[in-house]
Amino acid sequence: MCGIVGYIGKRKAYPILIKGLHRLEYRGYDSAGVALINSQGQLNIYKAKGKVAELEAFAADKDTDGCIGIAHTRWATHGEPNQVNAHPHYSESEELAIIHNGIIENYDVLKQGLMQHGYTFRSDTDTEVLVQLIEYTKRSTHLNLRDAVQQALNQVVGAYAIAVLDKNNPDAIVAARKGSPLVIGIGDGEFFLASDATPIVEYTDRVVYIGDEEVVWLQRDCDPEIVTLSNVQKTPEIKRLELTLSQLEKCGYPHFMLKEIYEQPRTLTDSMRGRVNVDLSNIALSGFIDNRERFLSAKRIIITACGTSWHAGLIAMYAMEEFARVPVEVEYSSEFRYRKPVINKDDVVIAISQSGETADTLAAIQLAKSKGAFIFSICNVVGASIPRVSDSGCYTHVGPEIGVASTKAFTAQVVALTMLALCIGREKGTMSREQYLHIVRELGQIPDKIERVLGQNKRIADFAKTFTYAQNFIYLGRGYNFPVAMEGALKLKEISYIHAEGYPAAEMKHGPIALISQEMPVVVVAPRCGTYDKIVSNIQEIKARKGRVIAVVTEGDTQVTAMADYAITIPETEECLTPLLSVIPLQLLAYHIAVVKGCDVDQPRNLAKSVTVE
Ligand code: G6P
């Protein structure tokens, strides 16, 4: 949800900022802009509608001189995506420039007050209100920029990560955050700032994660200074980055999404490393071991998440209820936080988030925490807001996921949640040692089995071409594979713009069956386990109405294969682990349909990877 980047040092800022914006483009890409103070002390702002490449074209013949600057790539909230609403925004006097990721909720009240003081507004954004407020505060109180920012932010309700330039002080940038991420890179006589570490990694591995309600002052040739909104000085805590540059490249793949699909055998091995022991006889999750009693005494587990992460949560509900015999509720964070839920002190709340920054999930955690529940989070981005406010957790360690449609993060979330379910079940004694050992051994085989599914990529690419005509798709699954059906449908919607619905197969006869005709492709996830016979009947019902069936079946299956128009096989495994295999063909199917349709696979329209607004 918008990416921000900044630089102050001895190098030319513009190339660093543009490269940083490309890295952050996954956060939003409807317009982009840059502000630079050149060597004559002029503050220049260049903005363009569209992607960062449009900004580069626009700025090609402009003065991009300067060793200090800030830049922004936008996902519109207030005001349509156009050049005027793009960031950075000038203040009234054009002496200050701001970039902002987040939402200012009381912007209207602030705007009315500023208008009474003669301020005029050029854009429809909430952000412009913020820069005007900072200028007004600075002028009316005669404070320096840092203190004016601090004082102005005390009047603001909402979420933000901001960076501000002052043309009268070309030696400093002030930045602050509340609710939106902000990381500072510390180089040799230079500073970087960004929404995440990806624009920073090639210059330095020393970073400081800025906390909520902290204002940071980056002054040339000085140490960074941090002060909270309530005026407490903080010592910057420098951390080492684990990110590497090659993780941010496509490495020969045409899209990040395809690269990330193919990475899954390795990323799942990484997720299990050090947790599943080498002889596949035990799982040791430190977040569980350290809080064993909380998990064992939990009367209920509440899982909260959004999007793809919510689908991983649904799969976990099946596993936790089966193995740990504890009631599990799975909640959309956005609904949970607003519906006055009953939360008890002995509840365990599990938050799932790839980015660790999703605003609704963060707010859901804060609500549950205020009621005394124990918060365990499953996140991918190390140091993000959600793991930092949680009591404990487990990182998925899949490396940066750059394609906006989540793939490798999803499978790693399912693995982490399955490991947790097995740990609780084993310790509680609600599953036998034999069953536990069998599943742990099967889990260890999953990366190799995913390789076998990936081996069918070419076939999937070939038959995907047949379905680009479709306006609608139905995805069906049962049990552990019902959430997979929803995830497959979501993947297709996100990147190919084809309407798709994921449904429990047995529910089809209560509505969706009315949609079935020879025009309607129906993807059925039908591995040979659990309710296989029932799903065979469901497929017969589809074929009787001339629907076109794409089936995901277990290797060696003949029954469903004979009925399906196209069948993709997955190796045999334990039922609870089938989602880790059955989702792979659905990821590939969505990918290839989107490619044939000419869609922007990695940056689909209107979406963003990290949703830091409610
Ligand atoms: C956005 C992304 C999805 C993601 C969801 C939740 O909608 O496009 O891919 O599943 O946010 O994000 P999180 O980072 O909390 O998993």
Side-chain angles (χ1 to χ4, degrees):
M1 276 307 101
C2 301
I4 67 170
V5 57
Y7 175 76
I8 176 167
K10 296 181 183 66
R11 309 185 215 203
K12 294 282 175 224
Y14 181 73
I16 295 172
L17 297 174
I18 290 294
K19 205 167 189 183
L21 287 185
H22 279 296
R23 294 255 160 83
L24 293 174
E25 223 170 6
Y26 74 88
R27 301 177 64 85
Y29 32 81
D30 60 43
S31 53
V34 57
L36 299 150
I37 303 177
N38 70 12
S39 43
Q40 283 86 50
Q42 284 167 328
L43 173 57
N44 294 314
I45 292 185
Y46 308 118
K47 315 199 271 194
K49 182 176 178 208
K51 294 194 173 189
V52 177
E54 308 291 330
L55 171 66
E56 283 179 272
F58 178 74
D61 56 356
K62 309 279 188 305
D63 170 15
T64 53
D65 179 34
C67 300
I68 173 170
I70 54 178
H72 187 271
T73 178
R74 180 168 187 247
W75 186 89
T77 55
H78 292 71
E80 66 173 273
N82 58 27
Q83 193 185 25
V84 175
N85 288 333
H87 302 208
H89 290 283
Y90 277 124
S91 61
E92 184 84 13
S93 68
E94 301 197 350
E95 290 182 358
L96 306 184
I98 195 170
I99 49 172
H100 168 218
N101 164 214
I103 286 187
I104 307 304
E105 288 173 14
N106 60 341
Y107 81 100
D108 203 29
V109 179
L110 296 170
K111 189 171 181 176
Q112 299 309 323
L114 287 161
M115 283 165 79
Q116 281 169 14
H117 290 291
Y119 278 77
T120 55
F121 291 83
R122 299 164 239 225
S123 77
D124 304 320
T125 65
D126 50 340
T127 303
E128 194 184 4
V129 176
L130 197 48
V131 71
Q132 305 280 45
L133 179 67
I134 293 167
E135 179 165 286
Y136 171 72
T137 309
K138 187 167 178 281
R139 289 189 165 186
S140 57
T141 57
H142 306 292
L143 290 170
N144 65 28
L145 181 64
R146 188 191 73 176
D147 295 347
V149 167
Q150 183 201 35
Q151 199 166 110
L153 290 177
N154 271 310
Q155 298 171 56
V156 163
V157 178
Y160 51 80
I162 59 164
V164 185
L165 286 186
D166 179 353
K167 73 185 270 193
N168 299 315
N169 187 353
D171 291 322
I173 300 179
V174 63
R177 76 157 269 187
K178 181 180 176 189
S180 299
L182 179 63
V183 54
I184 306 297
I186 301 182
D188 188 10
E190 58 187 354
F191 296 115
F192 305 82
L193 70 87
S195 299
D196 70 27
T198 57
I200 296 174
V201 60
E202 67 193 273
Y203 308 106
T204 178
D205 64 353
R206 298 168 71 226
V207 294
V208 177
Y209 294 97
I210 303 303
D212 261 349
E213 305 202 346
E214 288 179 1
V215 181
V216 55
W217 180 248
L218 302 172
Q219 166 123 22
R220 227 183 270 283
D221 304 322
C222 295
D223 289 335
E225 286 175 27
I226 299 177
V227 63
T228 67
L229 289 191
S230 48
N231 223 13
V232 178
Q233 303 286 331
K234 291 272 188 102
T235 309
E237 199 184 321
I238 299 174
K239 302 238 161 96
R240 290 268 165 205
L241 268 185
E242 283 173 17
L243 196 65
T244 61
L245 253 190
S246 67
Q247 290 176 306
L248 306 176
E249 309 291 344
K250 287 190 195 144
C251 300
Y253 287 91
H255 298 99
F256 280 109
M257 182 179 176
L258 190 62
K259 176 187 174 221
E260 287 159 7
I261 292 173
Y262 266 85
E263 277 177 337
Q264 289 174 104
R266 184 184 54 73
T267 53
L268 293 193
T269 306
D270 290 345
S271 295
M272 289 188 255
R273 183 171 296 118
R275 294 165 171 168
V276 178
N277 69 354
V278 277
D279 59 1
L280 303 179
S281 62
N282 194 34
I283 294 172
L285 270 188
S286 60
F288 169 77
I289 296 166
D290 297 345
N291 302 284
R292 186 178 170 279
E293 293 316 316
R294 283 302 300 243
F295 280 102
L296 299 191
S297 62
K299 299 263 184 318
R300 178 174 66 153
I301 290 177
I302 301 170
I303 297 178
T304 186
C306 303
T308 288
S309 299
W310 184 77
H311 294 153
L314 282 179
I315 294 170
M317 175 180 77
Y318 287 83
M320 289 190 178
E321 295 204 336
E322 179 175 356
F323 304 130
R325 307 304 299 151
V326 57
V328 179
E329 290 166 20
V330 186
E331 301 265 5
Y332 281 119
S333 305
S334 53
E335 289 297 313
F336 180 65
R337 59 178 291 206
Y338 286 118
R339 68 165 177 76
K340 301 189 178 59
V342 178
I343 306 168
N344 301 313
K345 289 199 170 50
D346 49 13
D347 288 332
V348 167
V349 172
I350 301 177
I352 313 168
S353 175
Q354 186 284 129
S355 61
E357 298 292 348
T358 301
D360 282 318
T361 305
L362 192 55
I365 294 180
Q366 276 151 348
L367 171 70
K369 210 172 172 182
S370 71
K371 307 280 180 205
F374 175 73
I375 316 291
F376 186 89
S377 61
I378 294 190
C379 295
N380 188 41
V381 178
V382 176
S385 304
I386 290 174
R388 291 201 300 162
V389 299
S390 302
D391 296 307
S392 179
C394 169
Y395 283 115
T396 46
H397 294 308
V398 300
E401 189 181 65
I402 293 167
V404 164
S406 183
T407 52
K408 64 177 179 175
F410 171 76
T411 44
Q413 289 165 347
V414 173
V415 163
L417 290 156
T418 305
M419 291 193 292
L420 184 60
L422 293 170
C423 289
I424 306 172
R426 186 67 208 112
E427 288 290 311
K428 270 179 93 173
T430 45
M431 69 190 299
S432 70
R433 177 154 174 78
E434 290 64 44
Q435 189 187 20
Y436 171 84
L437 281 178
H438 178 66
I439 297 174
V440 177
R441 265 186 240 114
E442 284 292 327
L443 191 56
Q445 306 302 319
I446 289 293
D448 287 346
K449 291 184 178 178
I450 291 180
E451 290 285 7
R452 267 154 66 186
V453 184
L454 290 171
Q456 295 168 86
N457 179 45
K458 172 131 193 355
R459 254 197 76 232
I460 298 170
D462 285 345
F463 76 69
K465 293 183 196 133
T466 323
F467 291 102
T468 45
Y469 74 87
Q471 306 279 323
N472 298 288
F473 260 73
I474 294 180
Y475 285 69
L476 301 176
R478 298 184 75 137
Y480 281 93
N481 284 291
F482 158 49
V484 174
M486 291 205 283
E487 174 59 10
L490 179 63
K491 289 288 85 88
L492 190 71
K493 276 186 275 211
E494 283 180 306
I495 60 171
S496 74
Y497 317 139
I498 295 173
H499 171 249
E501 276 190 60
Y503 239 77
E507 279 291 303
M508 183 184 66
K509 54 186 169 297
H510 299 294
I513 199 162
L515 301 171
I516 291 177
S517 69
Q518 59 195 16
E519 302 292 303
M520 176 65 95
V522 184
V523 178
V524 189
V525 188
R528 205 173 34 238
C529 51
T531 48
Y532 178 78
D533 291 341
K534 306 278 179 208
I535 219 163
V536 168
S537 312
N538 299 140
I539 296 172
Q540 270 157 350
E541 290 154 15
I542 300 162
K543 290 311 293 177
R545 287 154 186 88
K546 301 198 166 33
R548 305 184 70 189
V549 172
I550 303 162
V552 178
V553 298
T554 307
E555 287 172 355
D557 177 283
T558 49
Q559 205 176 354
V560 171
T561 306
M563 289 190 284
D565 297 74
Y566 301 93
I568 312 154
T569 59
I570 60 171
E572 183 131 33
T573 189
E574 264 296 301
E575 184 172 11
C576 65
L577 303 178
T578 51
L580 294 166
L581 304 178
S582 61
V583 76
I584 308 291
L586 307 194
Q587 294 171 344
L588 287 168
L589 181 65
Y591 170 79
H592 289 299
I593 291 177
V595 169
V596 180
K597 286 190 76 182
C599 299
D600 190 342
V601 172
D602 284 334
Q603 294 175 344
R605 69 184 181 209
N606 302 339
L607 295 179
K609 182 107 192 119
S610 180
V611 184
T612 52
V613 296
E614 295 172 19

